[in-house]
Structure formats: structure tokens, C-alpha cells
Amino acid sequence: MRLSMPALSATGLGRLYAIRKLSTTTTAAAATPSPPPPRRLSGDERDAQLAPLLRSGWKLVPAASSSRGADAISKTFTFSGPPLRLQSGFVSAFAFMARVAIAAEQANHHPEWFNVYDRVDVTLTTHDAGGLSERDVYLARVMDEAAAAAERA
């Protein structure tokens, strides 16, 4: 199969563009319908699923305080270690963010986060649902596990 290549064909960027173009054109006909939008957690679901997260340091952000006008959860992760540790808090924070970024992309649910050196501030909400959904609970659990793994590394 021959592809029409952009002017950047000799570069890696041109090859990447060609691969992406090929994958989107060959899979477009076989694409499955997208899943329904996420559903906001009901009161009982919310209480049951948030309880363990609140015990592990997550905090509720009321809709009035949220930057997006929807209820959310937030947590600050701080990465540090013993004085003789081989990696800095910055490297641990960055490793945490990289691990979470992969899981977030796979789940198609992206956090609002802010990083300064060894600290990562995170806020989770599902904009499509107008508040908290199972996606937020899932990503919060992933973040707690990733933070523990980054500290052990």
C-alpha cells in the first residue's frame, strides 16, 4: 500500500504521520460506536465508593469551590525519601505522573493536575457527567497505587 506522504517524509515525524493516517483510514470502517457517556454517581454509590478514598487522604471539593462547577475529589501527593536515596522527590513525582498518564489515557479520563518539584496536586471530576463518576474513583485508586510504587522505587 502506497501512502501520500507530507513534505516531512524523511523525518520520524513524517513516518509517524503516515502511520497515524493509515491506522485511521483502515480502521474507520470497522470502528465500533463509542460507549455512552459516564454516569454521575448516585448518593449511595458515592458514599460507598468514596469512603475508602476519603480515608486515604482524598478530599471532597464541593461544586461551588470547583474550577469546573462540578463536585470533585482532590489530593496532594508529596514525594520524598531518606537522605541517601538515589532519586529525588522530583524524579519520583515525575515517575508517578508518567505512570498515571498511561492509565488515564487508556481509561480516556484525564486528571487536572499541577506539579512543582516533589508535589503533585490532583483534582478529579467527570465533566461529561457533571460530577463524580466511577472513572474518578478508578483513577484515584490508580493514583494511590502509583504513588506507593513511586515511593518504593
Side-chain angles (χ1 to χ4, degrees), residues 34-147:
S34 59
R39 183 181 54 79
R40 188 174 181 164
L41 292 173
S42 71
D44 291 339
E45 292 172 317
R46 180 187 166 97
D47 294 344
Q49 293 194 35
L50 291 182
L53 296 175
L54 297 174
R55 285 192 298 271
S56 72
W58 287 90
K59 293 179 174 58
L60 282 171
V61 179
S65 304
S66 172
S67 66
R68 303 284 185 176
D71 62 335
I73 53 175
S74 69
K75 186 172 182 176
T76 296
F77 294 91
T78 304
F79 300 90
S80 59
L84 299 177
R85 194 165 171 168
L86 296 177
Q87 72 183 34
S88 69
F90 173 75
V91 171
S92 294
F94 198 86
F96 162 79
M97 292 179 73
R99 186 176 297 213
V100 170
I102 292 167
E105 186 66 20
Q106 289 172 342
N108 193 26
H109 191 58
H110 306 94
E112 294 179 22
W113 54 11
F114 180 77
N115 167 241
V116 174
Y117 188 65
D118 64 347
R119 191 184 82 234
V120 180
D121 299 320
V122 178
T123 301
L124 297 174
T125 191
T126 304
H127 308 294
D128 293 344
L132 293 169
S133 75
E134 288 183 355
R135 289 182 180 185
D136 301 305
V137 173
Y138 165 78
L139 202 52
R141 290 178 182 151
V142 166
M143 288 181 172
D144 285 342
E145 292 171 13

Side-chain angles (χ1 to χ4, degrees), residues 3 5-6 8-20:
L3 298 173
M5 299 294 288
L8 299 172
S9 62
T11 67
L13 182 59
R15 285 189 298 275
L16 179 62
Y17 173 81
I19 291 168
R20 183 170 179 103

